[in-house]
Amino acid sequence: METEQPEESEPVRRPARRRRVEGGRQHRHVVRVTPEEEGQLYALALQYRVSVPKLLVDAALAGGSTAAASNATVRHEVAAQMFATHRLLAGIANNVNQMAKATNATGDVRAEMVATLRKVREVADRIDGFVDELIGAAS
């Protein structure tokens, strides 16, 4: 089976594996499919960046393929938001370190440091709100 070449801006990622569970998974199901069904399953698994077994389990337990696709989309959106937040925090941390170094050298607290620390609090509040949304959506 030939795979498509990934776009330049998109890194190549392996399909997501299911999380490990205490004691492992004791039950196994074998599903036989036609070559056409196999192709469709692989295409869907690649589209949602999951393995075929994960796709089948998610589709069955989520109430069908539409719900499983929706769950996969939400997971990708959450991951994108978390990466964006990480980049933002890294930039802020760099600025705070630079300002702390200058403050320690001069003993002078500048207005920029107060504004940056205020922004840190805003970002932390956004993260808290995002986590609250995730918890609300999961229950």
Side-chain angles (χ1 to χ4, degrees), residues 6-117:
E7 293 181 17
E8 292 289 326
S9 63
E10 206 174 301
V12 176
R13 294 190 329 176
R14 297 178 73 145
R17 293 184 59 183
R18 296 177 65 200
R19 291 182 185 239
R20 294 181 183 199
V21 295
E22 189 70 32
R25 291 180 169 80
Q26 286 82 30
H27 303 283
R28 182 180 131 172
H29 300 274
V30 176
V31 179
R32 294 185 182 269
V33 295
T34 65
E36 294 79 19
E37 291 168 335
E38 178 76 355
Q40 289 175 328
L41 287 172
Y42 269 109
L44 282 170
L46 284 173
Q47 179 182 348
Y48 298 119
R49 296 182 181 152
V50 296
S51 65
V52 172
K54 181 165 179 45
L55 175 76
L56 293 172
V57 170
D58 284 354
L61 297 180
S65 59
T66 303
S70 173
N71 290 344
T73 301
V74 168
R75 280 193 305 272
H76 290 299
E77 288 173 13
V78 168
Q81 285 293 325
M82 295 306 284
F83 284 127
T85 302
H86 183 269
R87 283 191 304 274
L88 180 60
L89 283 176
I92 290 172
N94 186 40
N95 290 343
V96 170
N97 283 337
Q98 290 173 357
M99 287 186 272
K101 183 177 180 180
T103 300
N104 288 335
T106 64
D108 199 24
V109 177
R110 300 183 63 182
E112 293 88 3
M113 184 155 193
V114 174
T116 299
L117 293 175

Side-chain angles (χ1 to χ4, degrees), residues 121-134:
R121 174 50 45 208
E122 288 176 25
V123 171
D125 289 342
R126 282 177 53 198
I127 292 170
D128 288 344
F130 184 67
V131 169
D132 289 343
E133 283 180 36
L134 285 176

